[in-house]
Amino acid sequence: MKIYHLHHSGFLIQFEDKTIIFDCFTHIPSSLLRKGLPHYFFVSHGHSDHYSTDIFSTSRIYHPSYILSNDISNDSTHKTHAIGPYQHMSLGGMDIKTFGSTDQGVSFYIATNSHRIFHAGDLNWWDWDPVEKPNLDIAQEEKDYKNELEKMKNLPMEYAFIPVDPRLGDSFYKAGQYFIETFHPKVLIPMHFRDNFEIITKFKDKIGNTKTVIPVFKERNVKIKNTWSFNA
């Protein structure tokens, strides 16, 4: 299993028999795509920093399939599957469950190849500065995030992709910290920070001592170094 950071909340995960791709809205280097193997594109919602119709231009030699949140208008002639929150489907050796979001669309929980992967999409603890978002109910945002995680409390979390958004100022770490305290994933991979890679180190420093691995990466389209000792 190899994990590549594409950009923002976009990731590509290679297994021996397939590749899965989350929330890609930028160009994928051809070196990361493998001829003859199926490629599954997961899109959590239709925001432009998570979705681009360019994914439908992926060559058929890569056998692309698309699992789209049902808030996205599907104009593609490709093999697509629309899915909403709290649904379940089996596809390509993957057991796929969806959960909700605190913004738009879905979050994905995927069991495949003896691994458990969670991609939050825009499911986040949106603790904005009240000066910036004066009409936002901050207490309700916290409640909504924690209530959503409660719905998945019995699921084992191995790899979790969680927003660590620098726009939230001093609250950037809250979603990730609460996720770690709730699920103790083996690996938590920060996302949703555009090119502000420094936020990863800030997040690690804020979290402090934890058994959860928080890998550091510093650019787009790179393999995330395996710094954990369990079988990956």
Side-chain angles (χ1 to χ4, degrees):
M1 176 181 177
K2 299 176 182 178
I3 303 174
Y4 295 83
H5 173 249
L6 299 176
H7 178 45
H8 198 49
S9 296
F11 293 88
L12 181 150
I13 304 177
Q14 293 179 346
F15 297 99
E16 289 185 3
D17 60 336
K18 61 179 166 284
T19 294
I20 63 177
I21 300 158
F22 290 108
D23 282 6
C24 176
F25 69 103
T26 54
H27 174 72
I28 302 174
S30 58
S31 60
L32 300 184
L33 303 175
R34 298 175 293 169
K35 296 179 182 178
L37 291 179
H39 290 67
Y40 298 94
F41 288 81
F42 289 83
V43 184
S44 66
H45 62 291
H47 288 168
S48 61
D49 61 336
H50 293 258
Y51 168 64
S52 168
T53 56
D54 288 349
I55 61 176
F56 298 121
S57 65
T58 303
S59 172
R60 294 187 185 275
I61 65 173
Y62 302 117
H63 304 285
S65 296
Y66 304 91
I67 303 91
L68 309 179
S69 168
N70 63 6
D71 68 290
I72 297 170
S73 175
N74 178 19
D75 299 321
S76 169
T77 59
H78 290 68
K79 189 184 298 182
T80 61
H81 308 267
I83 195 165
Y86 318 117
Q87 294 185 6
H88 174 260
M89 68 180 296
S90 296
L91 180 70
M94 298 178 288
D95 188 72
I96 303 163
K97 294 182 174 70
T98 57
F99 292 90
S101 174
T102 47
D103 192 340
Q104 185 171 313
V106 302
S107 46
F108 290 107
Y109 182 87
I110 302 170
T112 189
N113 297 65
S114 300
H115 291 293
R116 304 292 185 272
I117 300 165
F118 178 72
H119 188 283
D122 263 359
L123 172 60
N124 194 15
W125 182 341
W126 295 109
D127 189 18
W128 290 95
D129 185 328
V131 174
E132 189 160 345
K133 302 277 186 177
N135 297 321
L136 200 68
D137 186 337
I138 299 301
Q140 187 63 46
E141 290 294 327
E142 176 180 354
K143 183 178 179 180
D144 289 347
Y145 179 69
K146 292 181 176 180
N147 284 349
E148 195 60 42
L149 295 196
E150 181 69 16
K151 296 171 185 175
M152 38 182 120
K153 63 180 180 180
N154 294 321
L155 295 175
M157 293 288 179
E158 187 179 4
Y159 296 91
F161 299 84
I162 304 297
V164 177
D165 193 324
R167 298 175 302 163
L168 296 177
D170 292 340
S171 298
F172 76 95
Y173 68 94
K174 286 187 176 181
Q177 181 183 64
Y178 187 79
F179 197 95
I180 289 172
E181 292 172 349
T182 302
F183 294 107
H184 308 287
K186 292 183 177 179
V187 180
L188 186 142
I189 299 176
M191 66 178 191
H192 209 272
F193 50 76
R194 293 285 183 172
D195 289 312
N196 188 345
F197 293 95
E198 294 81 5
I199 203 71
I200 301 176
T201 301
K202 292 179 181 178
F203 179 70
K204 285 174 65 75
D205 291 343
K206 190 72 177 180
I207 297 304
N209 188 29
T210 175
K211 291 183 179 180
T212 295
V213 176
I214 305 169
V216 173
F217 44 100
K218 299 181 179 181
E219 56 186 313
R220 302 184 191 184
N221 300 319
V222 294
K223 181 181 176 183
I224 296 177
K225 185 177 180 181
N226 184 344
T227 59
W228 43 91
S229 58
F230 61 94
N231 182 23

